[in-house]
Amino acid sequence: MLSYPFSTYTELNPAEVVGVPAGVKSQLPQALIFLALALGLTAWLRSQDILLAGTWLFGLSLGYVLQRSRFCFVACFRDPWITGNTSLSRALVLSLMIATLAFALASLYLDRPGEVYPVGWHMLLGGFIFGIGMVLAGGCATGTLTRAGEGHVLQWLVLIAFILGSLWGAHDFGWWHKVFIKEAPLIFFPDWAGWFWALFLQIVFLGGIYLGLLRLERRAFPGTLSTSSIQIKGLEEVSKQPFWSRAWPYWVGGVLIALLDAGLLVFRGSPWGITTAFTYWGAKIYRLLGGAPESWYYFMLPENALALKTPFFREPRTILNLGIIAGSLLSALFASEFRARFPRSFQGATWSLAGGLLMGYGARVGMGCNIGSFFNGIASLSLHGFVFGLGLVLGAYLGIHLLLRFLVGDLSKA
């Protein structure tokens, strides 16, 4: 087990994990005002396009769930290496199992297939680069948006770096496509084993991972309460708090994320995605500065070419991301947790920005992020999701060592 001197929220005491900080003024009035504004925007979007209004509501819901449950994908890949705590990791596996079944139902009975991408070295390398970046940045694609909504100033800066990295990756995408992606196969498990065996074997495999993670945590906390047990006790201690200020167990967040992702697939025909919109944002800014991203191979692809011509507030992926930020803000206000949080050190902020840049580039190489390639890929019974996930694991491991070697070591000398 790696020794890691930084605390994560999964290791905080119960009051910090699930309660409202003592002495904090209630932000309920601001929450109600913002809720009214969000609903008003929903009505306006409905007048423009029902697809945009529905996508906005899904974004609000995802942001709210992510913030209330503190569902952090980075911690899922980082904490087992550092502390042995696997509560979030197991919640992620549970979420993947539910999403797998939900996506299969949508595909079989509603003609709403998931996302199957080519499998090749680009997937492993993309996941690896993204995994390093998310550990350095302290947040993945979802975490960046969620923390931005909570008031973390650094995550807004990371988001800018994320956009720049995505734009860089889009610029190089033609090379990656020519060398790795063009000839890479699509491996959809039901095509190889049939729907029943594909589902059965994937659920059994994920169940095995769940049990392995549980065993790892029990070995890390022999004869003592694990942090997941502490969290449960903490939930019991704050049961008298208003429902809007309570934190939700990780497994609740995982279940809701899976159902919302599947619901989005049914509603608009494609599941949750985040980083493609970042690329569009960067390209639009680049065009304003006189650039011509439309000449790049990435933006010659029909879907991306259309998005580049679509007005900013009429692009569904953009609306979804803005909804996630707004949903996180709404959740933080209801729990009286919103406040501006500034970076603690210039050096730490520099590492975070480098992480954002790596995440952006890795997401384009791997054709998605922790959601688009990893989560949706596995839920879609596609091999590419597991390959990207392996890259995430390896990248997160290296990212941890980079932090321990350079950032933590330097701070301890300061």
Side-chain angles (χ1 to χ4, degrees):
M1 198 67 62
L2 295 172
S3 175
Y4 192 68
F6 287 169
S7 293
T8 64
Y9 65 78
T10 55
E11 300 174 282
L12 298 173
N13 64 55
E16 290 174 307
V17 173
V18 297
V20 177
V24 173
K25 184 178 179 181
S26 173
Q27 296 174 341
L28 182 58
Q30 294 93 321
L32 294 175
I33 293 173
F34 188 75
L35 176 60
L37 292 174
L39 294 177
L41 181 56
T42 305
W44 179 80
L45 289 172
R46 173 65 181 84
S47 68
Q48 304 298 309
D49 187 342
I50 191 172
L51 176 64
L52 294 177
T55 301
W56 167 253
L57 290 176
F58 271 104
L60 284 175
S61 301
L62 286 165
Y64 200 97
V65 169
L66 287 166
Q67 204 281 333
R68 276 298 82 221
S69 63
R70 292 290 195 268
F71 202 94
C72 175
F73 280 80
V74 175
C76 294
F77 289 91
R78 180 195 62 204
D79 288 0
W81 293 113
I82 297 173
T83 66
N85 176 26
T86 66
S87 52
L88 258 169
S89 308
R90 286 182 283 116
L92 174 59
V93 174
L94 174 63
S95 185
L96 286 169
M97 295 170 75
I98 295 173
T100 296
L101 296 173
F103 273 44
L105 291 174
S107 181
L108 287 169
Y109 298 105
L110 299 175
D111 192 27
R112 294 294 199 186
E115 295 183 334
V116 181
Y117 294 158
V119 182
W121 283 105
H122 65 286
M123 274 293 161
L124 185 63
L125 292 172
F128 182 71
I129 296 170
F130 191 94
I132 297 172
M134 71 180 187
V135 171
L136 297 182
C140 56
T142 53
T144 298
L145 296 180
T146 303
R147 288 185 164 190
E150 290 176 329
H152 289 266
V153 174
L154 178 58
Q155 294 306 310
W156 284 100
L157 299 178
V158 169
L159 178 57
I160 294 174
F162 209 140
I163 294 170
L164 291 174
S166 297
L167 190 63
W168 178 20
H171 175 271
D172 293 351
F173 187 77
W175 182 86
W176 286 96
H177 183 269
K178 179 181 179 180
V179 176
F180 293 104
I181 303 174
K182 186 177 180 180
E183 302 298 330
L186 297 172
I187 300 181
F188 180 50
F189 295 145
D191 287 344
W192 290 72
W195 276 99
F196 173 80
W197 285 109
L199 283 170
F200 177 78
L201 292 174
Q202 177 153 309
I203 295 300
V204 169
F205 180 72
L206 291 173
I209 294 177
Y210 185 97
L211 294 176
L213 290 169
L214 183 61
R215 183 178 181 182
L216 175 63
E217 182 169 299
R218 288 175 175 172
R219 288 178 60 186
F221 301 95
T224 61
L225 287 175
S226 69
T227 51
S228 56
S229 300
I230 293 174
Q231 189 195 30
I232 293 173
K233 288 184 174 293
L235 286 171
E236 295 171 350
E237 292 176 9
V238 297
S239 60
K240 295 181 181 180
Q241 295 178 354
F243 73 92
W244 55 78
S245 65
R246 300 177 193 172
W248 301 342
Y250 301 138
W251 69 267
V252 172
V255 170
L256 292 176
I257 287 170
L259 295 178
L260 285 169
D261 195 9
L264 195 58
L265 171 62
V266 172
F267 174 73
R268 66 173 190 171
S270 60
W272 186 13
I274 297 177
T275 58
T276 300
F278 294 169
T279 311
Y280 297 162
W281 299 354
K284 289 179 182 293
I285 295 173
Y286 185 52
R287 290 182 73 182
L288 291 176
L289 297 175
E294 62 272 10
S295 64
W296 304 347
Y297 175 78
Y298 183 85
F299 286 105
M300 293 180 184
L301 300 174
E303 184 179 18
N304 298 332
L306 177 62
L308 199 57
K309 299 175 182 178
T310 303
F312 186 82
F313 288 107
R314 293 191 64 86
E315 204 285 304
R317 291 180 180 85
T318 293
I319 295 298
L320 182 64
N321 283 352
L322 295 178
I324 292 172
I325 296 174
S328 174
L329 171 58
L330 185 63
S331 174
L333 288 174
F334 269 117
S336 301
E337 294 174 353
F338 176 81
R339 64 183 184 276
R341 300 170 174 87
F342 296 92
R344 296 182 179 181
S345 72
F346 175 80
Q347 187 178 17
T350 302
W351 279 94
S352 294
L353 294 177
L357 196 67
L358 288 173
M359 283 194 292
Y361 194 86
R364 293 286 60 81
V365 172
M367 305 177 71
C369 60
N370 57 295
I371 298 299
S373 279
F374 170 68
F375 192 92
N376 290 340
I378 292 178
S380 301
L381 296 169
S382 175
L383 180 61
H384 85 266
F386 288 98
V387 175
F388 191 88
L390 176 60
L392 287 177
V393 173
L394 297 175
Y397 184 77
L398 178 58
I400 292 167
H401 280 279
L402 288 174
L403 284 180
L404 290 172
R405 172 64 179 86
F406 297 103
L407 180 57
V408 178
D410 290 344
L411 289 178
S412 64
K413 297 176 183 177

